[in-house]
Amino acid sequence: MPFPHGDVENLIRETADAIRGAALVVVASGAGMSRESGIPTFRDALSGLWASYDPEDLATEPAFRRNPARVFGWYAWRRRLVRAALPHPGYAALVELEGRVPEVLVVTQNVDGLHRRAGSRRVLELHGSLEQFFCLDARHPFPAAAVPEPVADGELAPPACDRCGSPIRPGVVWFGEMLPERVVAEAWEAAARCQVMLVVGTSGLVHPAAELPRIARDAGARVIEVNPEPSEVSAWADVVVRGTAAAVLPRVVAALKGEALKG
Ligand code: OAD
């Protein structure tokens, strides 16, 4: 994405300067972080077979109870999509940040596991993960290796829990469900303690994740947004870098290293 020279470069330098002095940087990422790895954002139109469904009709417990094979099949499709995706250079930039800032914590709304796959060492998954599974009635953990792989896009009957027999569901947070308590406690504590929060690729529409940047700001942190489009955060963030994750994050790290901004 060609940068309009001048303002974006200055904003990238300003971001690097803020990070340089920080003891803790929290990266709050959303679906936009994975867009350049080929994974559609949550609100992108669902493609192919699933185009006729609204995610909110699939990502709920009632939807799973009504038609477990359809919901389980949809997540199997997303898992296949995600496994084929490669973390783009923006992910590697966040990993490199860990060697330049005393403490870096990634708090993501994404369930695709790309931050971990890229090598980020501290990742909190607020909305769970496509690679985790537990049973519907008692949340007995179920090994991902034992989950059937789809042979084609479409419905896929979930396995049954080997302890209680109830159907196995994806370990993601569905609409109307609570976020994992321990993850929330750790994320909220870090947001209130960080000096910089980098908000990357989120519309800031979904709560409670959307509260994190406000907690950081109210605790005196610099809130810096990386997003090619305006979001709920843009109106009050300290710095808004109008660019994409894969284009901006490597340049922030280059500026942090005092390297000339290339390209
Ligand atoms: P959204 O789809 O709501 O927002 C994606 C954001 O990423 C938008 O603000 C885009 O402008 C921005 N974006 C798009 N391409 C980008 C790029 N290349 N680089 C940086 N930003 C880019 O996704 P989220 O805000 O993550 O919740 O949505 C949050 C939650 O909505 C999801 O986690 C899911 C859904 O309800 C659950 O599943 C519980």
Side-chain angles (χ1 to χ4, degrees):
M1 168 179 191
F3 280 108
H5 278 278
D7 62 333
V8 175
E9 282 195 22
N10 297 335
L11 292 170
I12 285 176
R13 282 202 183 85
E14 193 178 338
T15 301
D17 291 346
I19 290 173
R20 196 170 282 113
L24 166 61
V25 172
V26 172
V27 180
S29 72
M33 180 74 203
S34 301
R35 193 75 193 75
E36 288 153 292
S37 286
I39 297 174
T41 65
F42 209 88
R43 282 161 182 74
D44 280 345
L46 287 179
S47 55
L49 181 77
W50 305 101
S52 57
Y53 294 105
D54 178 330
E56 304 201 6
D57 293 337
L58 287 166
T60 67
E61 186 181 312
F64 183 71
R65 288 187 183 279
R66 265 196 312 274
N67 191 331
R70 173 182 298 162
V71 173
F72 201 77
W74 182 55
Y75 278 96
W77 168 72
R78 287 179 66 192
R79 213 160 46 249
R80 281 230 321 284
L81 198 71
V82 160
R83 281 185 183 155
L86 294 175
H88 57 64
Y91 284 94
L94 295 182
V95 177
E96 201 170 349
L97 213 49
E98 292 178 3
R100 300 188 167 275
V101 175
E103 194 182 353
V104 175
L105 173 69
V106 174
V107 181
T108 187
Q109 298 173 74
N110 302 337
V111 296
D112 57 34
L114 284 184
H115 283 295
R116 284 188 201 287
R117 223 192 301 164
S120 285
R121 283 178 304 185
R122 290 186 65 208
V123 180
L124 295 177
E125 291 166 316
L126 291 175
H127 294 163
S129 164
L130 287 172
E131 294 298 343
Q132 282 169 4
F133 299 86
F134 46 73
C135 73
L136 183 62
D137 294 341
R139 294 202 167 212
H140 293 137
F142 190 83
V147 171
E149 282 307 316
V151 289
D153 278 351
E155 301 195 348
L156 178 68
C161 176
D162 41 17
R163 289 174 57 182
C164 70
S166 81
I168 296 303
R169 52 162 285 183
V172 300
V173 174
W174 278 334
F175 290 102
E177 291 186 328
M178 301 293 285
L179 275 57
E181 248 175 71
R182 186 191 55 76
V183 170
V184 167
E186 199 176 332
W188 264 237
E189 182 277 332
R193 183 166 55 88
C194 67
Q195 288 72 43
V196 173
M197 179 172 280
L198 264 181
V199 183
V200 185
T202 178
S203 57
L205 292 170
V206 174
H207 289 263
E211 289 158 31
L212 283 171
R214 286 194 182 278
I215 291 168
R217 183 200 54 181
D218 294 351
R222 299 289 303 282
V223 174
I224 299 169
E225 179 184 42
V226 176
N227 194 326
E229 307 290 335
S231 75
E232 289 294 300
V233 179
S234 304
W236 52 267
D238 297 293
V239 177
V240 175
V241 188
R242 273 286 166 261
T244 68
V248 169
L249 296 175
R251 292 159 74 98
V252 169
V253 172
L256 201 56
K257 296 192 302 194
E259 289 168 2
L261 296 179
K262 294 186 283 297

